[in-house]
Amino acid sequence: MIAVIIPLYNKAEHIADALESVLAQTDKPYEIIVVDDGSTDNGPDIVANFVDRGVFLIKQANQGVSVARNTGLHTATADYVAFLDADDQWLPEHLATLLNLIANCPAAALYSTGHLIRRENRVFRPRSAFPDAWQGLIPDFFAAFASGLSLVNSSTACVRKAALVEVGGFPVGVCRGEDTIAWVKLALRHPVAHAEVLTAIYNQQASNRSINLREAEPPGSLQYLAELFGKSGLTAQQTRGIALLFERISIFTAAGFRANGDLEGLQAIKLLAVGNRKYSTALAITALAWIPARLLSSAKQFRHHRTDA
């Protein structure tokens, strides 16, 4: 059984499409929980129209997406929980794909599927470490995650509820990358399974996506990965993979900051890299600071494969 958790904050424009995509699943969810995190638009009113179709709405004061997801996590009664952002959608076979993956990989605590990205009215397919239709336990989670940074996100992830509760759920008060921290914590303790089957659509052109924010400090995900450097108990494979993941997130995030004109955020990532003796990463970020923002914005189009899917 899979419960669905959707955190909602000022996504009235998209929430109906998200819910319709959940209700259209070929394998129905056990429960659908929308946690409104103090929206100031009419998103909760739209969700209320779905209550008679099995959607459960929780309202709380604005406390951030981690608190909203954790509220849903503790409310859910199913053994497994799938997450969906309020401005994304699932294709009809998403839950069926996850259920098949759970049946074939019961030891895992984190499951994910492939997805498409909708941006500027075009559709892209992220790069993946796996060929089409590949399914199974991931041999090296951190290296696979570093390849394209698209292995798992907050609209493709499904977790074993007890395992996520055990690691503390989603970290509260973290700016950027709170979901990545949760996935990494799970991967450090349990196997991770993936199906390279396209079952979700990440709507990057949606309103108030965090990609447009400016920051004065590195993303929380990078700070957490830096804390793992030199930590005892890690395998050699995990140590290498964490360093690679830190490098890739640092460079791609810094490039995004530069494209948005956020040099302060870029500098914060560089200083974090230097402070952790990741000098090659710091050098790459220094080079990014000299590349014209317009060129980086154009180059972004080539990070993923264009598709007609």
Side-chain angles (χ1 to χ4, degrees):
M1 299 186 298
I2 297 179
V4 178
I5 295 174
I6 304 175
L8 175 66
Y9 179 70
N10 291 351
K11 297 291 177 68
E13 181 182 354
H14 306 282
I15 184 59
D17 290 337
L19 286 171
E20 291 289 0
S21 77
V22 174
L23 293 167
Q25 293 297 298
T26 56
D27 280 48
K28 303 303 180 184
Y30 180 71
E31 53 196 346
I32 305 170
I33 303 169
V34 177
V35 182
D36 174 53
D37 190 43
S39 293
T40 58
D41 62 9
N42 67 329
D45 296 331
I46 294 173
V47 176
N49 294 327
F50 287 83
V51 170
D52 60 354
R53 298 172 67 182
V55 175
F56 181 48
L57 173 63
I58 300 173
K59 294 184 178 182
Q60 63 181 34
N62 180 252
Q63 301 171 72
V65 67
S66 285
V67 175
R69 290 192 184 116
N70 290 339
T71 296
L73 179 69
H74 291 289
T75 303
T77 59
D79 292 333
Y80 293 89
V81 172
F83 296 95
L84 175 64
D85 284 350
D87 43 13
D88 295 337
Q89 294 90 44
W90 286 340
L91 299 178
E93 297 294 327
H94 180 71
L95 290 181
T97 302
L98 288 172
L99 285 166
N100 182 66
L101 198 58
I102 291 169
N104 292 329
C105 305
L110 172 61
Y111 302 84
S112 67
T113 66
H115 68 283
L116 297 169
I117 296 173
R118 183 184 292 130
R119 182 174 68 231
E120 297 176 357
N121 299 316
R122 291 180 289 178
V123 177
F124 298 85
R125 181 174 182 176
R127 300 182 187 279
S128 173
F130 303 103
D132 286 352
W134 184 93
Q135 299 189 41
L137 292 176
I138 301 170
D140 186 344
F141 169 81
F142 295 100
F145 196 3
S147 177
L149 302 178
S150 60
L151 182 67
V152 57
N153 62 45
S154 53
S155 286
T156 64
C158 177
V159 302
R160 183 155 27 98
K161 175 184 173 179
L164 184 55
V165 170
E166 182 184 14
V167 299
F170 293 91
V172 176
V174 171
C175 184
R176 281 183 179 263
E178 74 292 326
D179 54 344
T180 296
I181 295 174
W183 316 146
V184 168
K185 286 184 176 181
L186 287 172
L188 287 171
R189 295 192 182 196
H190 305 278
V192 180
H194 179 73
E196 189 53 36
V197 180
L198 302 175
T199 67
I201 299 175
Y202 173 81
N203 190 14
Q204 202 173 68
Q205 61 194 9
S207 58
N208 73 357
R209 278 289 192 186
S210 60
I211 192 172
N212 296 317
L213 297 178
R214 297 191 174 211
E215 308 294 349
E217 62 180 30
S221 54
L222 284 177
Q223 296 183 55
Y224 175 71
L225 289 172
E227 292 173 6
L228 296 177
F229 294 146
K231 182 179 179 181
S232 61
L234 297 179
T235 67
Q237 183 183 74
Q238 288 173 331
T239 299
R240 289 192 301 270
I242 288 169
L244 180 60
L245 184 58
F246 176 88
E247 175 188 85
R248 296 289 172 81
I249 294 178
S250 294
I251 292 173
F252 278 114
T253 305
F257 282 169
R258 176 68 185 103
N260 290 335
D262 184 4
L263 295 180
E264 186 177 4
L266 182 148
Q267 181 68 9
I269 296 175
K270 176 185 171 181
L271 291 176
L272 181 66
V274 170
N276 286 275
R277 299 181 181 180
K278 303 301 179 184
Y279 301 119
S280 60
T281 300
L283 184 61
I285 294 172
T286 299
L288 285 172
W290 292 93
I291 299 176
R294 182 177 299 179
L295 182 60
L296 283 174
S297 295
S298 299
K300 183 179 180 180
Q301 306 299 324
F302 300 98
R303 178 182 169 190
H304 306 300
H305 299 292
R306 177 80 182 274
T307 178
D308 294 328

